[in-house]
Amino acid sequence: MFKIDPTRLDVAREFKARPFGEHSPELQYVLNYMRSRPVPQFEVLVMTDPGKRWVLAYMPTGGASVPKMTNQTFDKLEDAEWHVFKLRWKDITGQDLPID
Amino acid sequence: MTRIMGYADRISVQPGGTLAVMASCIGAQRYRADIVRLLSPNAGMGASEYREVQVDTPANGSYPAREQKMHAGSFAVVPEKWALKGIESFTLQAYVWPTTPKKGAQALMGMWSEAGTGFGLAVDATGAAEIRIGGFKLASGVPMLERRWYLVAASFDATSGQVRLWQEPIYDKSFHAERPVAVEGKTRASVPDDGAPFLFACWRKGEAEASTAWGRLLTGGHFNGRIDRPRLARKALDRAAIQALAAGMLPSGLEEEILGFWDFSKDVAGDRITDLSPNRLDGDVVNVPTRAVTGHNWTGAEMDWTKDPAQYGAIHFHDDDLSDAKWQPDFSFTVPAGAPSGFYAAKLVAEEASFYVPFFVRPKRGTAKAKIAFLASTATYTVYANNRGRFLSMRTELYQGRISMMDAVDILQLEFPEMGVSTYDRHTDGSGVSTSSRLRPVTNWKPHGRLWNYCCDLFIIDWLEHTGLGYDVITDHDLHVEGQDLLRPYSVVITGSHPEYWSLEMLDALDGYQRQGGRHMYMGGNGFYWRIAYHPTNPNIIEVRRSEDGVRAWDARVGEYYHQFTGEYGGLWRRQGRAPQVATGVGFISQGFDASSYYRRTEASRDPRVAFMFEGISDEILGNFGVLQGGAAGLEIDCVDPALGTPPHALVVARSENHSNTYILVAEEINIGHGALDAVQNAAIHADLTFFETPNGGAVFSTGSIAYAGSLPVDGFDNNIAKLTTNVLRRFVDDRPFTLPK
């Protein structure tokens, strides 16, 4: 089974540069892994201003309650994707991504 | 916490007509209501400025807030009747198929109430069958298993106080080690004559002050699962008599004992249950449980419930079914005589909370003057109503390629789960949701929030407004009822960004319109895909059986592919000889939600037949911009397929390219899975901008992409997508006939 290689910073850089659209096979594997692993809660974006502002929140898997809101807001969806990518990278590999 | 929500009693109303608005508001003393006409979506960057116009009406104003509750959970009920009075001894029995036996105590059938009166069969907290008589309970002691058929029966002899209970698994060719269980007990409890209704799949909790799902009855203990051949006798029967009573026909020799002998295979389409006994303890089903489902005796030899109803004698009840919130009206709105046709809503605001109650104003029947009609996809909007599955699991990201999005109105569904679910969800017992109603607060018909369906269709309305060409708005619901006559006055019918769900009546009406020279602009993707059935007497309720194939949120159980409302075979129109390519030239090929792409003009676009389309356009790349993920070709996309009905003379004038890995070939295109199913590797995945002429001077233009609508408003409609689409519209309203090529 595929596992994320924490030394492959090139894959992370690729995602940062282009979170939406065509990805390399290696990046797609990383994203599929991140998105399919069993987790008790997962990230969602709550839209507070249509098309302009989103708040990072957590939903319990299975959704028995409302999302738990954080103080983290975004005005670009790309920024939200990168933020969450870094959180997941750390969660899975145990290592911070040394990329801003 | 202030919350407000509501719904209207009607979806389509004409000038002079009146609709009622039901609202529930908590956390505030009063709320404000305004009737508004919606002219564009609130979509943020790249889109037009949000526009809603207040309608001058006495309905606008401040209203006292009150909470109105929703009572989810389907059940069947026999109203209080003479034959149900004076019961002392009894036998209760049914075949049951529990789907959540461990969720907590649940009612199967009877007259038991939480006040500790009456009698009834139940499932106890462990999942075991149980008989209740007043405060007395006797359970089998053996939990039933999920999705297994059992004969459950109980008898009570009032003279001796003897209680017997049987729980017997039905042979189903599987290798279970279960054994029949029979237990006995004694009680001095009696069955009081309290004039209660006889209930299936719930028990009586009390009486409400306001309307509930049935009268003012408050229910509890909602059962998840199936009940088949329920019976009630006025005597404690022995096991042999119980077996005789379990037959499909009324047994001889028990005429005096039988009180109720229900046959759930009757009246499957409607809201009634039938008692075959002389007492005729007929009743109602409430909140539309699922019918036309396999019963305890289904052999697998028959797949069509209409051919052998006796094998489909079960009703599947769910504790989250909701077909009508049954709220009291707060106010009404009479459409002014001169009101233009369009998208409208009652905008409800209480402090920081707001909610849009949508409806559509259509032209008065027989008086349409506009040449253009926009057909609002109300069937599709209804089928999607209250879709919550998309944000209950991270797996949504796997096919969307982006973090799941929610808004404040979405969150209402989690705060008020009794709001019911959509046909994109599963019930709490894991079974697929096959019916949806709009007679409840619906969260996905709004001009803001996640851009999908209703909201995206407002991009098209915005563009129509910009063209200055007059238009009417009509709805799927109108089309289903009125058929082709609804379309006949119009030169052009525009279908929306995602007109996915079609009844036979709707499809036939469109087909007839097109064959008689009507022009059709299909402005979306994944249209004309699923067959639906409307409830026979309540057009606010729609059914979809996700059978066989297709991109599905759930799959219908084998043997349950035929709609309960009509008996029609469900599933993809493509599987029924009417693929979308027949009517529009294109059909669903892929979906992806991370990024949208663009179209590139083809050689066919130089054909003189489509010269009108490209007047003033010199670009080779079309729609490399847009509010919906950055391009005109995306989200759900369609392409031509001659084998499925694309006319040979159809012209693909532009084809999309460069879609991402997230775009995967649709399931119905895959016979054997392989590793080259995404758009990066699979050349079959693209959207086709398509045109073809039809008989009697008609024509069809199809965009084959949901995202297309989101490109129209970019740069104030000064872009090649808006230009091209306007060129098409202007030509389509021109009475000069199109000519079928020789």
Side-chain angles (χ1 to χ4, degrees):
Chain A
M1 283 293 288
F2 175 81
K3 282 205 168 74
I4 294 177
D5 177 354
T7 68
R8 290 292 303 271
L9 301 184
D10 59 313
V11 174
R13 286 194 184 95
E14 181 193 342
F15 184 77
K16 185 184 180 193
R18 194 182 188 196
F20 306 122
E22 184 179 339
H23 302 313
S24 68
E26 187 70 17
L27 174 55
Q28 193 62 53
Y29 271 33
V30 167
L31 293 171
N32 290 346
Y33 185 91
M34 287 179 167
R35 292 164 174 163
S36 58
R37 74 210 153 99
V39 288
Q41 62 174 12
F42 61 96
E43 301 84 356
V44 296
L45 294 175
V46 177
M47 183 188 294
T48 53
D49 189 356
K52 293 175 184 163
R53 198 159 191 80
W54 298 267
V55 179
L56 180 66
Y58 285 89
M59 275 291 291
T61 296
S65 62
V66 299
K68 194 165 57 183
M69 308 289 267
T70 71
N71 293 324
Q72 188 73 50
T73 62
F74 305 97
D75 54 14
K76 282 179 67 183
L77 288 171
E78 288 81 357
D79 293 344
E81 292 286 343
W82 176 237
H83 181 85
V84 169
F85 185 93
K86 286 194 292 185
L87 291 175
R88 291 175 179 175
W89 184 281
K90 172 80 185 292
D91 185 41
I92 293 167
T93 68
Q95 298 176 28
D96 284 315
L97 259 176
I99 305 170
D100 285 336
Chain B
M1 180 183 83
T2 302
R3 295 288 184 268
I4 189 162
M5 59 188 105
Y7 63 96
D9 64 342
R10 299 167 66 185
I11 194 171
S12 175
V13 60
Q14 54 190 34
T18 299
L19 61 78
V21 176
M22 281 65 78
S24 177
C25 179
I26 58 175
Q29 295 296 312
R30 301 187 70 83
Y31 69 88
R32 169 88 199 171
D34 289 287
I35 304 297
V36 294
R37 184 175 176 217
L38 304 171
L39 297 173
S40 64
N42 188 354
M45 298 277 284
S48 307
E49 191 173 330
Y50 176 60
R51 284 184 299 153
E52 63 178 36
V53 178
Q54 189 187 47
V55 177
D56 185 15
T57 165
N60 297 336
S62 171
Y63 293 90
R66 61 172 167 173
E67 182 177 12
Q68 302 207 64
K69 293 194 179 292
M70 290 167 275
H71 300 274
S74 56
F75 59 95
V77 53
V78 177
E80 176 191 351
K81 292 200 176 178
W82 175 83
L84 292 171
K85 290 183 179 294
I87 297 172
E88 294 177 346
S89 300
F90 66 84
T91 298
L92 281 171
Q93 66 181 71
Y95 291 101
V96 302
W97 194 73
T99 49
T100 57
K102 295 199 185 304
K103 84 155 189 172
Q106 303 162 67
L108 290 172
M109 58 188 287
M111 300 167 73
W112 191 81
S113 90
E114 288 186 9
T117 60
F119 63 101
L121 270 180
V123 179
D124 78 2
T126 71
E130 181 181 72
I131 177 68
R132 297 181 174 195
I133 306 169
F136 171 83
K137 296 177 184 175
L138 174 68
S140 74
V142 179
M144 292 185 282
L145 300 178
E146 275 185 41
R147 291 176 162 77
R148 286 264 286 160
W149 279 106
Y150 298 85
L151 174 65
V152 172
S155 68
F156 171 59
D157 185 312
T159 305
S160 65
Q162 183 80 33
V163 184
R164 289 193 169 90
L165 176 69
W166 293 267
Q167 175 187 306
E168 301 180 359
I170 305 299
Y171 172 72
D172 67 355
K173 295 187 173 62
S174 60
F175 294 100
H176 281 265
E178 283 187 288
R179 292 285 177 271
V181 183
V183 294
E184 294 186 15
K186 279 217 166 192
T187 178
R188 292 183 179 175
S190 61
V191 179
D193 178 12
D194 64 351
F198 192 94
L199 298 164
F200 300 90
C202 70
W203 56 56
R204 194 158 42 109
K205 197 172 182 178
E207 188 156 312
E209 292 179 359
S211 298
T212 65
W214 191 77
R216 295 191 174 222
L217 178 73
L218 276 177
T219 55
H222 283 274
F223 172 64
N224 282 320
R226 298 182 180 185
I227 299 175
D228 190 0
R229 293 191 185 174
R231 311 285 190 245
L232 170 65
R234 65 168 88 249
K235 181 183 175 185
L237 300 177
D238 61 22
R239 181 63 186 81
I242 286 170
Q243 195 62 44
L245 211 56
M249 304 289 284
L250 278 164
S252 59
L254 292 170
E255 291 86 349
E256 292 187 8
E257 286 81 10
I258 293 172
L259 275 173
F261 192 94
W262 290 277
D263 183 349
F264 287 171
S265 73
K266 308 272 187 208
D267 304 311
V268 167
D271 295 326
R272 298 287 290 164
I273 55 169
T274 300
D275 173 22
L276 300 184
S277 86
N279 296 309
R280 292 306 307 263
L281 296 177
D282 300 339
D284 303 316
V285 291
V286 179
N287 276 335
V288 188
T290 309
R291 305 181 75 168
V293 294
T294 54
H296 73 285
N297 57 338
W298 184 66
T299 65
E302 181 55 69
M303 300 290 170
D304 178 355
W305 67 270
T306 66
K307 300 277 172 49
D308 190 358
Q311 291 192 49
Y312 289 85
I315 296 180
H316 193 142
F317 299 94
H318 306 96
D319 60 8
D320 56 357
D321 280 323
L322 180 69
S323 65
D324 189 341
K326 296 273 180 79
W327 286 355
Q328 296 300 306
D330 276 38
F331 61 91
S332 62
F333 164 63
T334 299
V335 182
S341 178
F343 280 54
Y344 285 75
K347 181 183 178 184
L348 312 179
V349 178
E351 297 173 356
E352 76 282 7
S354 66
F355 195 95
Y356 285 79
V357 176
F359 61 92
F360 301 86
V361 173
R362 54 164 290 183
K364 212 165 193 170
R365 199 167 177 172
T367 66
K369 296 284 191 299
K371 299 184 86 170
I372 302 165
F374 179 78
L375 180 65
S377 305
T378 52
T380 301
Y381 305 157
T382 301
V383 166
Y384 271 93
N386 295 352
N387 174 6
R388 70 182 65 175
R390 64 184 168 80
F391 48 70
L392 298 189
S393 161
M394 188 166 60
R395 286 182 173 267
T396 302
E397 274 190 54
L398 274 175
Y399 69 84
Q400 295 221 336
R402 55 173 50 224
I403 302 167
S404 294
M405 190 90 68
M406 302 176 73
D407 59 45
V409 181
D410 289 331
I411 293 171
L412 276 179
Q413 294 179 63
L414 298 166
E415 295 176 328
F416 300 90
E418 63 271 27
M419 197 182 276
V421 282
S422 87
T423 70
Y424 282 80
D425 298 319
R426 291 178 183 271
H427 290 288
T428 54
D429 70 356
S431 56
V433 179
S434 58
T435 61
S436 179
S437 169
R438 53 156 293 277
L439 295 175
R440 54 179 172 150
V442 167
T443 59
N444 55 306
W445 305 30
K446 55 182 188 277
H448 57 81
R450 194 178 72 109
L451 298 172
W452 193 250
N453 251 341
Y454 180 91
C455 213
C456 292
D457 285 351
L458 283 170
F459 285 123
I460 300 172
I461 294 298
D462 187 22
W463 163 71
L464 281 169
E465 286 288 322
H466 180 78
T467 66
L469 300 169
Y471 67 95
D472 287 337
V473 172
I474 53 178
T475 73
D476 286 347
H477 286 65
D478 300 317
L479 185 61
H480 176 79
V481 172
E482 296 175 31
Q484 202 186 136
D485 280 357
L486 180 73
L487 308 181
R488 204 180 297 275
Y490 300 106
S491 301
V492 190
V493 169
I494 299 173
T495 49
S497 60
H498 189 27
E500 184 176 4
Y501 292 85
W502 285 72
S503 69
L504 176 65
E505 290 83 352
M506 291 161 56
L507 205 55
D508 280 349
L510 182 66
D511 177 69
Y513 169 77
Q514 291 190 186
R515 286 183 192 286
Q516 293 180 30
R519 287 127 189 213
H520 177 197
M521 293 176 71
Y522 163 39
M523 298 274 285
N526 188 10
F528 315 90
Y529 191 60
W530 291 103
R531 184 173 194 155
I532 55 167
Y534 278 83
H535 187 283
T537 58
N538 188 341
N540 296 297
I541 305 171
I542 291 174
E543 180 186 12
V544 56
R545 295 267 166 149
R546 300 195 187 277
S547 70
E548 269 196 57
D549 209 348
V551 175
R552 297 176 287 178
W554 51 271
D555 54 325
R557 285 178 61 83
V558 171
E560 298 173 5
Y561 291 179
Y562 289 80
H563 291 107
Q564 70 186 62
F565 290 164
T566 57
E568 296 167 328
Y569 188 69
L572 301 186
W573 277 113
R574 167 180 170 148
R575 290 281 192 172
Q576 302 189 41
R578 299 189 69 169
Q581 285 86 348
V582 175
T584 70
V586 297
F588 193 25
I589 190 67
S590 183
Q591 65 177 23
F593 303 89
D594 59 330
S596 297
S597 193
Y598 56 87
Y599 301 86
R600 183 184 294 279
R601 281 181 66 171
T602 64
E603 267 313 296
S605 73
R606 323 291 171 189
D607 191 305
R609 287 161 54 202
V610 289
F612 69 90
M613 204 181 287
F614 291 93
E615 281 173 17
I617 298 172
S618 56
D619 303 330
E620 293 298 309
I621 301 295
L622 306 172
N624 54 344
F625 48 82
V627 179
L628 295 168
Q629 270 77 314
L635 303 182
E636 298 186 21
I637 58 174
D638 304 344
C639 68
V640 295
D641 188 340
L644 289 172
T646 304
H649 64 285
L651 297 174
V652 175
V653 299
R655 172 164 285 176
S656 73
E657 58 191 30
N658 204 20
H659 292 287
S660 76
N661 321 54
T662 309
Y663 287 75
I664 306 286
L665 210 57
V666 290
E668 60 270 26
E669 288 286 336
I670 303 167
N671 286 331
I672 300 174
H674 53 77
L677 296 174
D678 70 38
V680 177
Q681 304 172 79
N682 197 308
I685 296 173
H686 47 77
D688 287 338
L689 206 62
T690 303
F691 168 84
F692 62 93
E693 300 87 349
T694 51
N696 295 307
V700 171
F701 168 75
S702 296
T703 68
S705 164
I706 290 179
Y708 191 94
S711 296
L712 291 167
V714 171
D715 294 331
F717 299 95
D718 186 13
N719 65 71
N720 53 33
I721 289 293
K723 177 76 178 166
L724 182 147
T725 316
T726 305
N727 285 345
V728 173
L729 181 62
R730 289 191 183 283
R731 176 63 185 91
F732 275 29
V733 296
D734 186 330
D735 290 334
R736 285 176 298 144
F738 287 94
T739 307
L740 274 169
K742 291 176 182 167

